[in-house]
Amino acid sequence: MSRPAPRFALPHLSDEAVAAFADNVLRDGARYRAQQHIGECAECRSAVADQRQARSLLRSAPLPALPGDLLERLRTVPVSAPLPSGPPVVSALSADGQPLFAAFGTGRDTGPAPSSAASPAVSAPASTVPGAPPADRSWAHRHHLPTLGLGVVAAATVMVGALATTAPTAGGGAPAPASPGPVQQRTASPGESDLQAVFQPVVDLTGRR
Amino acid sequence: MTDAIVARETGAAWAAPTWDDVVRQHADRVYRLAYRLSGNRADAEDLTQETFVRVFRSLSDYTPGTFEGWLHRITTNLFLDMVRRRARIRFDALPEDAAERLAASGPGPEQRYAENHLDPEIQDALDALPADFRAAVVLCDLEELSYEEIAATLGIKVGTVRSRIHRGRVLLREALAHRAPGVRPVEAGSTSAEDGA
């Protein structure tokens, strides 16, 4: 600041306070004091205005738009992403504490069905040979990482299901089917891809490299 | 995911999202953040893809209700990791004139406009910010996170968030001064004619 505030007047706002006041996040006494000071101090008033101006300039710019082919690559991450070492089961918890499992499979059946071609809805891995990298320039491919080949399945699906079990199974084998918890089935509508939510107690990976 | 919370509170049946749902709901936002941070399409695509790969592989770390915050954290930290990695390479492994050769490696304004119809000046001003300031300002002003959320995302204190935001905005405004109405020239030690008004 170019000159000190007059004695007995409120001190100049710190940089932190200027930003916080500009963003309307100061409360109670701090806010009151800042307001009082700004009423009397043009410098701090300008500093606050500058902060708000920078914010609105930034927000005035057009938003970057997601490239279309990237969306497709993201949708096929489950079949093209490099697998971490360790058990293939990926788990999470639903809002009410139910364990969830993400797995690959056929969706409607209890196990993979042999088929002559991968689902057309899965666009990235054009190759159906297990372990072969996807034909497109996926991120994983460009970085020379091994990927999960889809193998030969009827439909590529990712299932995120709620189970009644309380803990994920240790090890990599498929667990015994548990009694179904809050089970729902949702089949894909004609416009959707074959990626669908199916609740299944069996965790299964097909075509693992 | 707030759907789950709504479902639990209303008693409605909650359907777990498919991977497709997750991507469709969040890909735009992740990409926008990745682009604002990295300043070019190639890096933004890589950051976006890596974010979703990590999401898929780390579902066990996910706590319901904080999904967007989790995404922000992954994307931002991937960006900061990328910056640090490149800084190390630049200084450690390359001949002396390499820094100059690397300097002009980003897309120019024409390409940036053509790629995304973006405002190249604003993106340039962002790119000129040091990465830590850029992350704080982008998370605050574009992603609209609270200071506390930004502190959690970046692993720093709220006070540090405030000062980085403050400084980042000052730098931005200086870079874009020609676009801001009523810009005062900065003169050290001057007294404003408005004092006492």
Side-chain angles (χ1 to χ4, degrees):
Chain A
M1 300 296 169
S2 62
R3 63 180 173 84
R7 215 184 313 173
F8 305 125
L10 292 163
H12 287 303
L13 298 181
S14 66
D15 290 347
E16 293 183 24
V18 166
F21 185 82
D23 292 345
N24 302 312
V25 296
L26 285 184
R27 290 285 175 264
D28 306 324
R31 180 165 173 242
Y32 176 78
R33 285 190 297 276
Q35 264 174 336
Q36 290 298 106
H37 177 75
I38 280 167
E40 299 165 355
C41 175
E43 275 195 65
C44 288
R45 200 157 53 235
S46 287
V48 167
D50 289 353
Q51 290 286 299
R52 290 175 173 162
Q53 211 167 53
R55 176 184 169 97
S56 69
L57 271 172
L58 197 51
R59 293 172 64 79
S60 71
L63 299 173
L66 186 76
D69 57 339
L70 178 60
L71 181 65
E72 283 308 303
R73 292 205 299 279
L74 296 178
R75 293 175 62 223
T76 59
V77 155
V79 299
S80 62
L83 287 179
S85 55
V89 174
V90 178
S91 63
L93 288 179
S94 68
D96 53 358
Q98 292 288 336
L100 308 176
F101 290 85
F104 299 103
T106 56
R108 288 178 178 79
D109 309 318
T110 54
S115 166
S116 58
S119 162
V122 179
S123 56
S127 161
T128 58
V129 175
D136 73 326
R137 290 176 61 253
S138 73
W139 181 92
H141 181 61
R142 279 187 284 128
H143 288 75
H144 305 294
L145 292 169
T147 61
L148 171 70
L150 184 56
V152 184
V153 291
T157 62
V158 171
M159 301 173 292
V160 181
L163 302 188
T165 56
T166 54
T169 56
S179 56
V183 173
Q184 292 181 355
Q185 293 233 337
R186 185 174 80 86
T187 55
S189 62
E192 287 183 16
S193 76
D194 286 331
L195 296 177
Q196 60 180 321
V198 175
F199 289 73
Q200 284 202 358
V202 175
V203 172
D204 189 10
L205 281 180
T206 60
R208 189 170 183 210
R209 60 181 164 81
Chain B
M1 301 171 203
T2 54
D3 301 343
I5 295 169
V6 169
R8 181 176 54 193
E9 288 173 356
T10 62
W14 176 68
T18 64
W19 178 252
D20 226 41
D21 291 338
V22 169
V23 168
R24 286 179 193 283
Q25 203 174 341
H26 298 283
D28 281 326
R29 189 163 201 169
V30 171
Y31 181 78
R32 287 200 299 262
L33 175 59
Y35 194 101
R36 288 302 188 205
L37 290 173
S38 64
N40 70 86
R41 176 170 164 166
D43 285 341
E45 291 195 14
D46 281 356
L47 289 173
T48 303
Q49 185 139 6
E50 177 62 7
T51 295
F52 280 94
V53 166
R54 295 213 175 184
V55 164
F56 182 70
R57 289 171 49 187
S58 309
L59 285 173
S60 57
D61 295 336
Y62 162 59
T63 328
T66 60
F67 192 68
E68 281 173 8
W70 188 41
L71 287 180
H72 286 128
R73 196 151 44 242
I74 294 174
T75 307
T76 305
N77 285 312
L78 283 172
F79 162 70
L80 293 173
D81 289 346
M82 182 181 81
V83 167
R84 288 181 204 120
R85 204 164 50 237
R86 290 179 181 177
R88 273 203 305 276
I89 294 170
R90 193 162 296 162
F91 290 120
D92 292 346
L94 301 175
E96 284 176 17
D97 63 340
E100 284 146 28
R101 285 192 265 128
L102 281 173
S105 58
E110 299 82 9
Q111 183 181 351
R112 185 172 280 143
Y113 184 82
E115 276 179 352
N116 294 289
H117 296 278
L118 291 181
D119 188 320
E121 281 183 333
I122 290 182
Q123 192 61 49
D124 282 346
L126 266 177
D127 292 350
L129 296 184
D132 289 336
F133 294 126
R134 194 186 322 165
V137 170
V138 167
L139 290 174
C140 181
D141 291 341
L142 291 173
E143 292 297 311
E144 301 192 293
L145 303 192
S146 70
Y147 291 175
E148 290 73 20
E149 288 168 336
I150 297 171
T153 302
L154 299 177
I156 57 180
K157 297 178 189 174
V158 170
T160 311
V161 171
R162 292 182 182 188
S163 56
R164 285 188 189 175
I165 288 171
H166 177 272
R167 185 77 187 135
R169 285 177 181 158
V170 166
L171 291 171
L172 265 181
R173 196 171 170 280
E174 284 171 4
L176 296 168
H178 55 287
R179 297 175 55 150
V183 174
R184 304 167 298 126
V186 177
E187 295 172 43
S190 68
T191 55
S192 166
E194 298 166 277
D195 281 347

